[in-house]
Amino acid sequence: MAAAATCGTGAGSTASVASAASKSKVTSFQRRGPRASGTDSGGLRLVSIAGTRPSVRNGQLLVSTGLPALDQLLGGGLAVGTVLLIEEDKYNIYSPLLFKYFLAEGIISGHTLLVASAKEDPADILQELPAPLLDDNCKKELDEDVCNHKTPESNVKMKIAWRYQLLPKMEQIGPVSSSRFGHYYDISKRIPQELIEASNWHGFFLPEKRSSPLKVESCSLTHGYLKLLQFIQNIIYEEGFDGSNPQKKKKNILRIGIQNLGSPLWGDDICCTENCDNSHSLTKFLYLLRGLLRTSLSACIITMPTHLIQNKAIIARVTNLSDTVVGLESFIGSERETNPLYKDYHGLIHIRQIPRLNNLICDESDVKDLAFKLKRKLFTIEWVQDNYLRQERNIYPPGFSYLLKQKDSAWGEGSLQHSTFLMSFLAKATAFASRLVRHGEPLKQTGSGRIRQAAGPRLWHDGRRQEAPGFLGIPP
Amino acid sequence: MFPELNNLLNITPDRAEQGKLTLLCDAKTDGSFLVHHFLSFYLKANCKVCFVALIQSFSHYNIVGQKLGVSLTSARERGQLVFLEGLKSSVDVFFQANEEPHPLQFLREAKPGNLQPLFEFVREALKPEENGEAAWRCPVLLVDDLSLLLSLGVGAVAVLDFVHYCRATVCWELKGNMVVLVHDSGDAEDEENDILLNGLSHQSHLILRTEGLATGFCRDVHGQLRILWRRPSQPTAPRDRSLTYQYKIQDKSVSFFAKGMSPAVL
């Protein structure tokens, strides 16, 4: 990955790469160091850059995305030299948060930032970054958040949905005291001004760059993309992120954040019409950006309003050109907002693609149904519990509660669905059974008394099943 | 190379066929492991390989190649491998505007015409030695991947022309092989990609199609591979033989098994 920087420095370096490669063949254990060290002549010296860590699987250098939960889902973090594409949610409420987390993580770790936007001034974006949760406040803040959340009893052995017990749990939020990789942030507070001033950042605000002349003749790239590409290439070259400047001993990571790429504000019309003139502009930009990133120590986050792109083919191409793709789907305005299953969450998060870098396989997480929740101070990602787990943990599955609520009116006019005898019988029986599962109470009769618990009283004696259930039937 | 895949395809590095176009196609999954397989296979078979790698960097292929037992750096040094690294060259072409022709010159143009410079590069790379002695067995062209050229603005017809020219030179004139990878967009109605895929499917001798499982993600079975032989060499052999296997990718190899016979299930 970042070792490709050696290939870029000319023919003389192939010898050193070859010797490095042969050295790595002899002692393959050395490969577990970060790959950033390849620029120096010969050998794989372990150079550690603040805020990075090597991947467990293949020694790939990783940076944190700012959200430890997302890091875990992506297999440890975002690989240096790759693009993280965030598909924005419909009203662009939650994707700016991920964008800000990424930038805030860069400031805390001391990385250089490059913020590009066509909508907001980068200086304003930086002012709104969340404040980091430091060690001593951390425990206090997180404890009060955790108390409000209904804690699952993880030590209760599951009876019905026992297979789910074997699945890995999502990372529980906890204070990370002296970790240099991955921090927690408090959204309700702003980052201290002195941290922003101490950091090295570059801003690209498109309306300011409109008038400056082009160095390269336009070649099917939109003007905005072209200027941004030149700006990025300039910064990478001048500050030595591609290893071209041997004077710079201290290596650092460049974090690039591009907001709302592909929106009409960038001059691109893929979000406006289906058959656009310049449909290759965005994909070409992404390809050239990928080329720049692969040969430098940088990581990029791009938020893109893919829900606005009319042509599905372009979305597929953009996905193929990006390394990691995460999609956000918020519940605002959709039917899921009123679904009791999702009442604690604000939206779903889909990990659409994870790259296979230097490897045949990738760290794909087994858990696919993930939802996010924006609490007062934290943005959390959790596995959505489905019906079986809710029944296990003494929560009604959604359908049953409706039947119970309608108990009084169900047998009257107006609810045609439940007026047949069979439906009412089933409703009462299942409501009876679920009440028993829920409370463990033995034998209180409901309804007219025609349905009697045919199995003996020992069945539900202390809330635990003692013998096989009998046949719930109407006594003769 | 994956020994199990060699058995399925009935080929060995000693007995590689010649003059064949192999199409790798992936739908809803990542078929790049097949590219690594063919790269290491032909390097082990002592063939001269020209690899047009547009989508990933050299070190990526090198590291995976080392897991499969070939070293791309040493192959490049002794002249067995000619590697065109698309990502690095595209940045050079785009930002340093010199007038000399470059294989990826179409990136500079506003309306990319054709891929002739790229074809010239391939022909130059694979042309036989002047002194007549063949150091390598047969030339092989590997392209990863062709759908990317569509994303860069080249038309589907131009890409098909390029493949046609390469086939005429590499497969027919030089009696070599070609392996190309194309993504299948599936339900994302990419017309240009469909034109490219259909055109190549008709021309190719062997189609390896990887698909994700219809039922979704599975930890033990990563996908399904369909092997389709077209244009058999002997007229008496049955036409268009097709086989389907499921596979699981591991760290250094891929294991293939019949449908439903995953070791995790048995």
Side-chain angles (χ1 to χ4, degrees), chain A residues 290-307:
Chain A
R290 190 182 183 146
L292 280 175
L293 291 178
R294 287 286 202 270
T295 51
S296 63
L297 282 174
S298 43
C300 181
I301 188 171
I302 301 179
T303 64
M304 189 181 291
T306 47
H307 58 97

Side-chain angles (χ1 to χ4, degrees), chain B residues 83-101:
Chain B
F83 196 96
L84 174 64
E85 188 170 354
L87 288 171
K88 193 165 64 80
S89 320
S90 63
V91 171
D92 293 336
V93 161
F94 194 75
F95 288 106
Q96 292 140 26
N98 27 2
E99 292 314 311
E100 56 185 54

Side-chain angles (χ1 to χ4, degrees), chain A residues 23-41:
Chain A
K23 271 187 206 161
S24 71
K25 257 200 228 171
V26 168
T27 52
S28 57
F29 295 103
Q30 270 189 16
R31 252 213 284 139
R32 291 218 155 207
R35 309 212 61 84
S37 57
T39 338
D40 300 293
S41 61

Side-chain angles (χ1 to χ4, degrees), chain B residues 36-53:
Chain B
H36 296 297
H37 162 80
F38 279 105
L39 179 62
S40 52
F41 176 83
Y42 283 119
L43 282 177
K44 280 192 181 162
N46 215 20
C47 297
K48 178 150 191 187
V49 178
C50 174
F51 190 6
V52 178

Side-chain angles (χ1 to χ4, degrees), chain A residues 292-410:
Chain A
L292 280 175
L293 291 178
R294 287 286 202 270
T295 51
S296 63
L297 282 174
S298 43
C300 181
I301 188 171
I302 301 179
T303 64
M304 189 181 291
T306 47
H307 58 97
L308 292 176
I309 298 181
Q310 318 261 340
N311 193 350
K312 297 272 177 284
I314 295 184
I315 301 179
R317 289 179 185 179
V318 162
T319 304
N320 285 335
L321 280 168
S322 316
D323 299 296
T324 317
V325 182
V326 170
L328 291 176
E329 182 192 336
S330 79
F331 293 148
I332 299 177
S334 81
E335 59 195 5
R336 285 184 173 144
E337 204 171 1
T338 48
N339 188 341
L341 179 65
Y342 294 123
K343 71 171 160 55
D344 292 329
Y345 303 104
H346 291 121
L348 297 178
I349 181 164
H350 307 280
I351 311 284
R352 299 209 200 272
Q353 185 175 277
I354 295 184
R356 292 161 197 243
L357 295 166
N358 303 335
N359 222 328
L360 287 170
I361 40 182
C362 58
D363 272 319
E364 218 171 334
S365 147
D366 284 346
V367 181
K368 297 287 174 188
D369 307 307
L370 297 160
F372 64 84
K373 180 184 344 180
L374 179 61
K375 295 193 250 198
R376 191 170 59 91
K377 297 189 180 188
L378 289 172
F379 183 96
T380 54
I381 301 177
E382 289 169 17
W383 179 39
V384 180
Q385 302 168 356
D386 61 349
N387 285 338
Y388 297 114
L389 273 176
R390 284 180 168 248
Q391 192 171 8
E392 189 68 74
R393 294 186 177 165
N394 302 332
I395 307 169
Y396 273 113
F400 288 78
S401 58
Y402 291 131
L403 285 175
L404 272 187
K405 271 192 208 135
Q406 292 168 11
K407 188 170 80 89
D408 296 326
S409 63

Side-chain angles (χ1 to χ4, degrees), chain A residues 263-279:
Chain A
S263 73
L265 289 172
W266 285 97
D268 200 356
D269 59 349
I270 52 169
C271 292
C272 309
T273 73
E274 193 165 346
N275 302 318
C276 31
D277 309 320
N278 241 348
S279 56

Side-chain angles (χ1 to χ4, degrees), chain A residues 206-255:
Chain A
L206 185 62
E208 285 170 6
K209 310 275 180 175
R210 281 232 175 267
S211 50
S212 48
L214 291 168
K215 270 185 271 175
V216 181
E217 69 277 6
S218 84
C219 34
S220 83
L221 268 189
T222 325
H223 178 228
Y225 296 155
L226 191 54
K227 300 236 50 100
L228 177 57
L229 213 51
Q230 284 174 336
F231 184 77
I232 294 176
Q233 197 249 352
N234 220 17
I235 300 286
I236 289 180
Y237 180 69
E238 279 179 10
E239 303 215 351
F241 289 104
D242 55 353
S244 60
N245 189 352
Q247 305 301 331
K248 282 196 153 273
K249 283 297 168 192
K250 186 146 190 322
K251 293 187 194 293
N252 206 353
I253 305 277
L254 174 67
R255 284 189 185 232

Side-chain angles (χ1 to χ4, degrees), chain B residues 1-264:
Chain B
M1 66 174 188
F2 310 127
E4 291 193 30
L5 186 54
N6 282 346
N7 294 338
L8 293 180
L9 295 175
N10 211 12
I11 49 176
T12 58
D14 313 317
R15 237 186 356 107
E17 296 180 317
Q18 291 190 318
K20 300 278 180 243
L21 168 63
T22 304
L23 175 66
L24 308 176
C25 174
D26 59 12
K28 285 197 184 134
T29 185
D30 190 9
S32 55
F33 69 95
L34 291 172
V35 175
H36 296 297
H37 162 80
F38 279 105
L39 179 62
S40 52
F41 176 83
Y42 283 119
L43 282 177
K44 280 192 181 162
N46 215 20
C47 297
K48 178 150 191 187
V49 178
C50 174
F51 190 6
V52 178
L54 299 174
I55 196 83
Q56 296 281 12
S57 60
F58 177 77
S59 57
H60 166 80
Y61 294 105
N62 193 18
I63 293 173
V64 182
Q66 279 174 0
K67 292 189 183 193
L68 300 182
V70 293
S71 166
L72 295 193
T73 37
S74 49
R76 192 160 65 164
E77 277 176 2
R78 60 175 185 256
Q80 192 187 4
L81 173 67
V82 177
F83 196 96
L84 174 64
E85 188 170 354
L87 288 171
K88 193 165 64 80
S89 320
S90 63
V91 171
D92 293 336
V93 161
F94 194 75
F95 288 106
Q96 292 140 26
N98 27 2
E99 292 314 311
E100 56 185 54
H102 190 279
L104 297 182
Q105 200 169 299
F106 60 89
L107 283 172
R108 271 192 229 137
E109 299 160 13
K111 272 199 159 311
N114 54 17
L115 291 172
Q116 190 172 356
L118 189 58
F119 167 67
E120 302 285 341
F121 171 82
V122 169
R123 191 169 61 173
E124 187 64 34
L126 289 180
K127 71 173 195 283
E129 307 282 326
E130 282 90 27
N131 48 10
E133 56 174 65
W136 315 110
R137 190 175 313 163
C138 64
V140 174
L141 170 64
L142 218 62
V143 183
D144 179 20
D145 57 66
L146 281 181
S147 319
L148 183 66
L149 294 172
L150 298 177
S151 304
L152 295 177
V154 185
V157 179
V159 180
L160 282 172
D161 286 342
F162 165 73
V163 171
H164 181 76
Y165 270 81
C166 287
R167 209 159 66 93
T169 311
V170 175
C171 293
W172 187 79
E173 189 185 325
L174 300 174
K175 305 277 188 300
N177 290 330
M178 266 179 75
V179 180
V180 294
L181 174 72
V182 177
H183 292 300
D184 189 0
S185 52
D187 51 351
E189 297 135 16
D190 193 344
E191 290 168 2
E192 298 234 312
N193 205 16
D194 290 339
I195 293 175
L196 179 63
L197 189 59
N198 289 335
L200 282 177
S201 306
H202 282 288
Q203 292 178 32
S204 48
H205 299 96
L206 174 65
I207 302 179
L208 294 176
R209 195 182 155 86
T210 51
E211 299 161 345
L213 292 179
T215 42
F217 169 74
C218 173
R219 207 166 11 141
D220 302 306
V221 178
H222 290 152
Q224 189 166 289
L225 176 70
R226 286 168 63 169
I227 311 176
L228 178 64
W229 284 272
R230 308 182 78 251
R231 300 165 182 234
S233 39
Q234 300 98 12
T236 51
R239 289 180 60 88
D240 288 14
R241 200 160 55 101
S242 155
L243 287 175
T244 308
Y245 295 97
Q246 290 179 342
Y247 62 86
K248 176 176 181 181
I249 306 178
Q250 282 133 8
D251 192 36
K252 292 193 180 178
S253 68
V254 178
S255 61
F256 292 87
F257 36 87
K259 278 211 270 196
M261 308 285 272
S262 157

